[in-house]
Amino acid sequence: MPELPKRKVGLVSCSGEEMAEGSVTRLATLKVLQSLRPQETVTICLPLFLAGGEGDRAFARFYPTIAIDGCEKRCAARGTEMYSSKPAAGIVVSELCPSAPGCLGTARHLNDAGMEVVTKVAEEIARHVDRLLGGTKSGRHGEPGDHSSAVQEKRASAATCSCGSGIPVKVLEIAERSVEVLALPLIFDMFRQSGKAPGAGTTAELMEIVRLYNGIPEEEQASWNEAIQREYAAYYAGEAR
Amino acid sequence: MTRKVLIVPCSGIGKTYGTVARTGAYIVTEDLRPDTTQLVPLARVVLGDDEVRQTLAGAPAIAIDGCKLACAAKVVAESGGALAHALQVLDVFRKHRELKPAGIAELNEGGEKLAAALAGEVVTLIHDMEGQEDA
């Protein structure tokens, strides 16, 4: 049975290569991904929003995202909003841990003070992760929480990088416009393999899961319902051949 | 060559080769060619920062990418930069298979040596560019 990715928190760091604070963002993000909240977080390289495909640009629409920036330019926060969607939270190292130039070391080599700031920023990221996932302690010690019974967790054994994997999308015509429906290919696969035939009941179940990953305007509920029902019927018939 | 050569490494965060790309860029811009090169942070290019766009418009750039997605090369090109060369860490690794990189936050010895080899290739390219401009 295919697995839908669990609702995780996306981390986007600026990685600013020219300043120590940029290295702090990268190392703090890695610390969260690898040790503090490995099951609850995923990352993507900021440039992929521009260089990648639609699936990559869907990142912040799919995951509630924390932007981690080194300085007040806020490249990660602004870039994420510009190309994907507004981050759910933002951290700026130079505001969280103000320090004089050179105090943290260099971009290439952080000193002890720089590594202390890495720890502080990582803890702040983890705090935001817990808040965004409903205030549970789910991420601690790698214990997953049950954020949705319909969505199965895709476990990660190490830092999860989304580079190139993207979020699977399917473009549908809904309410006379083209709409990217996030995760729809995986959702359809899951339902078909569960033996769920097209019908009103199946459509209602499909819509419950589609809503988890997509913001559906109130006035378009009927149009989405109709489009999902139509597309699933076509998909199911095509797979049966 | 009067203009500095811009070195643009990828911002790879989840893979070892991204760290090799970044480390190689530091070796070039800080150790080997500090007076003739300039490191350009990719995040600012992504954002379309005016100052960075002007910098990109005024000098040749060498992009160093850690994976086949080639974010650095693509972003520089899409931002109107003059991409003189686009290097892939994997291509350098193929020439130095004995240097097996490991680590993301911190490279192992093989990774550090691979980054040095990468930096050497970049410096050779810069040398060639300078020769062509002076000719």
Side-chain angles (χ1 to χ4, degrees):
Chain A
M1 186 167 172
E3 293 182 342
L4 286 175
K6 180 190 162 195
R7 190 88 169 158
K8 295 187 178 189
V9 174
L11 308 180
V12 183
S13 74
C14 78
S15 291
E17 290 86 7
E18 65 178 348
M19 61 196 306
E21 285 83 352
S23 295
V24 168
T25 68
R26 188 174 55 254
L27 294 176
T29 298
L30 275 173
K31 194 178 180 79
V32 176
L33 289 162
Q34 292 178 328
S35 56
L36 297 185
R37 299 291 184 273
Q39 305 294 343
E40 275 63 35
T41 52
V42 65
T43 190
I44 192 171
C45 300
L46 179 65
L48 261 187
F49 287 140
L50 195 56
E54 284 306 315
D56 298 303
R57 281 186 278 279
F59 186 84
R61 277 179 274 144
F62 191 82
Y63 299 110
T65 297
I66 302 171
I68 304 108
D69 279 299
C71 72
E72 76 291 345
K73 289 183 189 298
R74 297 173 188 260
C75 293
R78 292 165 60 201
T80 301
E81 181 167 5
M82 189 184 298
Y83 295 108
S84 190
S85 188
K86 188 172 183 176
I91 293 170
V92 180
V93 174
S94 61
E95 293 174 2
L96 184 68
C97 304
S99 59
C103 282
L104 306 180
T106 66
R108 192 172 170 185
H109 298 296
L110 294 180
N111 58 21
D112 288 347
M115 293 310 292
E116 276 182 30
V117 172
V118 168
T119 300
K120 282 183 189 169
V121 172
E123 287 168 353
E124 182 69 4
I125 296 170
R127 195 178 64 78
H128 279 294
V129 169
D130 292 344
R131 180 178 61 80
L132 291 170
L133 291 180
T136 68
K137 305 289 187 188
S138 62
R140 296 186 193 284
H141 313 300
E143 287 297 318
D146 181 14
H147 303 293
S148 168
S149 58
V151 181
Q152 299 196 359
E153 181 191 5
K154 189 175 185 178
R155 286 179 181 274
S157 57
T160 309
C161 172
S162 283
C163 293
S165 59
I167 307 299
V169 300
K170 185 171 178 59
V171 179
L172 300 185
E173 289 297 319
I174 302 176
E176 298 181 349
R177 63 190 176 91
S178 294
V179 179
E180 281 179 4
V181 184
L182 299 182
L184 194 59
L186 293 174
I187 296 170
F188 278 3
D189 281 347
M190 186 176 74
F191 270 61
R192 183 185 59 78
Q193 292 192 23
S194 298
K196 292 180 186 293
T202 297
T203 301
E205 286 183 50
L206 278 167
M207 286 299 292
E208 274 185 39
I209 297 184
V210 167
R211 274 191 205 94
L212 287 174
Y213 296 99
N214 299 271
I216 303 177
E218 192 57 42
E219 66 277 14
E220 291 183 4
Q221 296 284 341
S223 301
W224 277 71
N225 205 74
E226 184 185 327
I228 295 294
Q229 181 162 351
R230 182 185 65 235
E231 287 297 323
Y232 184 62
Y235 165 84
Y236 194 87
E239 291 294 315
R241 281 187 207 124
Chain B
M1 195 164 186
T2 52
R3 298 172 301 172
K4 285 191 173 184
V5 176
L6 308 176
I7 308 297
V8 191
C10 79
S11 293
I13 188 169
K15 298 182 177 79
T16 297
Y17 287 134
T19 305
V20 173
R22 189 166 42 252
T23 304
Y26 286 137
I27 293 172
V28 173
T29 56
E30 293 181 6
D31 302 342
L32 303 179
R33 288 297 196 107
D35 297 329
T36 54
T37 59
Q38 179 183 341
L39 185 78
V40 176
L42 197 53
R44 289 180 65 187
V45 185
V46 169
L47 204 60
D49 184 307
D50 284 342
E51 186 186 331
V52 169
R53 276 184 175 273
Q54 284 177 9
T55 303
L56 279 175
I62 296 177
I64 308 174
D65 276 298
C67 74
K68 64 182 186 324
L69 296 172
C71 291
K74 285 181 188 170
V75 170
V76 168
E78 286 188 25
S79 303
L83 190 62
H85 297 282
L87 273 72
Q88 290 268 348
V89 174
L90 198 57
D91 291 336
V92 181
F93 174 65
R94 289 194 181 104
K95 298 175 197 165
H96 303 274
R97 289 189 181 276
E98 74 283 6
L99 305 177
K100 295 193 188 310
I104 300 175
E106 195 170 344
L107 289 175
N108 66 352
E109 188 182 349
E112 292 286 349
K113 287 181 177 174
L114 186 61
L118 167 67
E121 288 206 12
V122 173
V123 168
T124 301
L125 291 173
I126 294 170
H127 184 76
D128 291 346
M129 290 161 66
E130 290 169 338
Q132 286 170 10
E133 190 161 284
D134 293 343

